[in-house]
Amino acid sequence: MDVIRFTLNGQSVEERGIAPTTTLLNYLRHRGLTGTKEGCAEGDCGACTVALLEEAPDGTGRWRAVNSCLVLLPMLQGREVVTVEGIADGDRAHPAQTAMVQNLGSQCGYCTPGVVMSLFEATYRSDLDEAWKLDDQMCGNLCRCTGYRPIRDAAKAVAGTRPRDRFLERAAVRAGQGMKLAYAAGVQRYFNPVSVGELCELLDTHPEARIVSGGTDLCLEVTKKRRELPLLISVEGVPELRRMERRPEALVLGAAASLSDVEAFTRESCPPLHRMLRYFASRQIKNRGTLGGNVCNASPIGDTPPVLLALGASVTLRRSSGTRTVPLDAFFLDYRKTALQAGEFLESVTIPSIPAGARAAAYKVSRRRELDISAVAAGFFVVTDDAGRVTEARLAYGGMAAIPRRAAGAEAALRGQPWNEASVEKAVAALAKDFTPISDLRASAWYRATVAGNLLRGFHLETRDQHVPHLPQRPNATLHLQPSPGGQS
């Protein structure tokens, strides 16, 4: 099948012969839909935001704001996408547009279409019940002219109102049908299997293929390095890889589960991972990025590996001949190198349940609170006995070495010692032998080493009274939603 079929602003589209590494942003602008802007071409500014109808874990559809600069055209197979030009109902503006006008949320207007599309997603969400969630919804849209107070007022006016319109009706049906695709244009090929069996067969035939899901990392090779990737196999159409399961002994998270879904799923079942995902990136990035992608790119500054290492996670790797389980601390071999073999893919991540009484938390330090790459990330897990002595310690860091790695010396310094300030100081001193960080544009080596120690000190202070801290909540953090014009809520 050499045809990409999708729906754009309510109209069926078929495309042939277009390079599979064509971004949705460039495609839209060449079609004359120039309301979608290019600002950074790397998912940082939000000017290119559009809405994609995706399948929720319950099988129904939901609208999700995404960065069109990081979506390749074949990723739309069998889906619906809406741009700022397609949300009005004739001459009647969409509530997201009306809210921006009424709250004076636009000045120069360059960022406004992307802001409106983030408001569009907020309009149809049913879980925007706390102030931090509204901040999270909008943190991926930069605006240098207006300032964020009127934009936030607009978001508050429409969040969760869910008007009974054609978009809510479309979200009530199953999304993502007909995603199977075998596409070629020139020397480039793109496959989108829809089952684990098909994926295994494709990797047997094409072990050299690059695996992609949300594309939030891989697409930067297209937009920034201008690479023409010859062979891509997508896993986002494989439902088995999106499953998330809570078992008595562990959480099993599918590799292709979106980070926004993992964030919601782990709020009560795994607060340390949930808290890391809160500050991981913008809503647009989390709607597309996946847990498996963040693990498999093996970045030394990836945000989820440190907390997963601290929690004792393992990964299940699959190929046509079967599966194998690898502890995560044996998965990272070297800079950007993992234990994955040719023809093999990451199927799921398993996180053991946090024992009662264990102390666990995750931290991220970056120049911006959200939507920034970390200078240092950390995940900590400590268990003490009845006498208050440390029986188990896993201290993991990102940004401190060529791979995300545990601090073996600091862990050893803690074991058998009382969980107190003096013992923590000895562990902090041991970090100097565990890591030799480098200086780069994000942080100096001195800063990284200092922050690494301070995070461990902070973990000790934070977990004295609440062993597994949740997201910090501001006073009056409940978001009071406005009723929709039609009376829906």
Side-chain angles (χ1 to χ4, degrees):
M1 182 191 298
D2 290 331
V3 182
I4 303 172
R5 295 186 174 92
F6 60 97
T7 300
L8 174 60
N9 291 336
Q11 301 297 314
S12 297
V13 175
E14 292 188 0
E15 293 293 351
R16 300 174 176 84
I18 296 179
T21 48
T22 300
T23 66
L24 174 57
L25 171 60
N26 286 339
Y27 174 81
L28 292 173
R29 296 187 62 79
H30 278 98
R31 282 186 63 112
L33 297 172
T34 53
T36 306
K37 309 297 186 187
E38 178 174 325
C40 64
E42 59 185 28
D44 271 343
C45 71
C48 70
T49 302
V50 299
L52 189 63
L53 184 59
E54 294 193 339
E55 186 176 344
D58 64 2
T60 61
R62 75 268 177 99
W63 292 102
R64 289 292 183 252
V66 301
N67 298 117
S68 60
C69 70
L70 299 179
V71 175
L72 303 180
L73 204 62
M75 295 175 178
L76 301 180
Q77 179 71 2
R79 289 176 159 172
E80 295 188 34
V81 62
V82 176
T83 71
V84 70
E85 292 91 346
I87 62 175
D89 186 4
D91 293 333
R92 186 173 65 182
H94 187 273
Q97 296 169 309
T98 300
M100 282 288 281
V101 173
Q102 292 178 344
N103 289 278
L104 306 178
S106 177
Q107 287 192 38
C108 83
Y110 193 91
C111 70
T112 301
V115 172
V116 166
M117 295 313 294
S118 286
L119 295 180
F120 177 86
E121 180 193 352
T123 302
Y124 300 100
R125 286 184 64 182
S126 59
D127 59 341
L128 286 171
D129 54 352
E130 295 172 274
W132 72 264
K133 292 182 179 180
L134 194 62
D135 294 342
D136 179 66
Q137 176 70 36
M138 302 307 301
C139 75
N141 293 89
L142 303 183
C143 179
R144 296 185 178 186
C145 299
T146 306
Y148 296 104
R149 195 270 308 157
I151 292 174
R152 195 178 189 282
D153 288 345
K156 189 174 180 179
V158 298
T161 53
R162 296 172 60 81
R164 292 179 180 173
D165 57 13
R166 68 187 190 278
F167 299 110
L168 193 63
E169 291 173 358
R170 289 301 302 141
V173 302
R174 188 176 177 87
Q177 296 298 290
M179 291 183 65
K180 186 172 182 177
L181 179 67
Y183 181 78
V187 297
Q188 292 181 287
R189 289 176 292 173
Y190 188 104
F191 295 95
N192 191 16
V194 292
S195 71
V196 165
E198 290 179 6
L199 176 57
C200 288
E201 291 177 6
L202 282 169
L203 288 173
D204 281 345
T205 306
H206 306 287
E208 77 283 7
R210 296 282 298 275
I211 295 178
V212 64
S213 186
T216 55
D217 186 66
L218 181 138
C219 287
L220 296 177
E221 297 185 26
V222 176
T223 62
K224 294 301 180 181
K225 299 180 180 179
R226 308 301 184 193
R227 288 180 179 167
E228 296 182 358
L229 305 174
L231 179 57
L232 296 175
I233 297 178
S234 171
V235 298
E236 66 174 319
V238 181
E240 298 96 322
L241 301 187
R242 298 198 304 271
R243 291 175 184 160
M244 296 180 290
E245 183 180 359
R246 183 191 296 188
R247 301 173 182 171
E249 74 283 1
L251 292 180
V252 181
L253 306 174
S258 73
L259 293 170
S260 54
D261 282 344
V262 175
E263 179 183 16
F265 185 77
T266 57
R267 177 162 186 172
E268 297 301 327
S269 58
C270 189
L273 179 56
H274 170 81
R275 185 161 75 162
M276 178 57 78
L277 291 175
R278 163 64 180 88
Y279 301 111
F280 180 96
S282 70
R283 179 75 181 176
Q284 293 97 315
I285 294 294
K286 290 189 289 189
N287 281 341
R288 293 292 296 157
T290 63
L291 184 63
N294 195 241
V295 171
C296 286
N297 70 16
S299 169
I301 48 176
D303 287 339
T304 63
V307 61
L308 294 174
L309 284 166
L311 295 175
S314 61
V315 292
T316 299
L317 311 180
R318 177 179 284 274
R319 60 193 313 158
S320 59
S321 58
T323 63
R324 63 188 179 111
T325 299
V326 178
L328 191 60
D329 55 10
F331 181 72
F332 302 112
L333 304 180
D334 203 346
Y335 178 74
R336 297 280 189 173
K337 184 178 180 181
T338 71
L340 277 168
Q341 300 174 357
E344 200 170 41
F345 62 93
L346 176 61
E347 183 177 56
S348 61
V349 177
T350 299
I351 306 172
S353 297
I354 300 173
R359 293 168 168 83
Y363 304 92
K364 173 177 177 174
V365 178
S366 56
R367 290 179 181 269
R368 288 179 288 172
R369 188 176 68 173
E370 297 107 348
L371 193 55
D372 202 1
I373 296 171
S374 60
V376 179
F380 301 132
F381 177 91
V382 169
V383 177
T384 57
D385 60 19
D386 293 340
R389 294 187 178 275
V390 176
T391 59
E392 188 174 1
R394 290 194 293 268
L395 316 176
Y397 287 91
M400 297 289 289
I403 59 174
R405 189 157 60 81
R406 288 170 57 179
E411 292 175 357
L414 282 177
R415 291 191 192 99
Q417 302 301 311
W419 180 242
N420 58 25
E421 186 175 345
S423 298
V424 169
E425 287 302 321
K426 292 179 181 178
V428 169
L431 288 174
K433 296 182 179 179
D434 283 322
F435 299 107
T436 307
I438 63 171
S439 296
D440 59 21
L441 292 175
R442 295 185 182 89
S444 67
W446 172 88
Y447 178 84
R448 285 191 162 104
T450 303
V451 166
N454 287 342
L455 290 178
L456 184 53
R457 294 183 179 104
F459 170 66
H460 171 252
L461 293 173
E462 189 177 22
T463 57
R464 285 188 304 185
D465 299 322
Q466 187 179 7
H467 288 183
V468 183
H470 286 62
L471 274 171
Q473 297 294 324
R474 298 193 301 272
N476 303 317
T478 300
L479 177 65
H480 300 287
L481 302 178
Q482 302 287 336
S484 69
Q488 319 318 318
S489 61

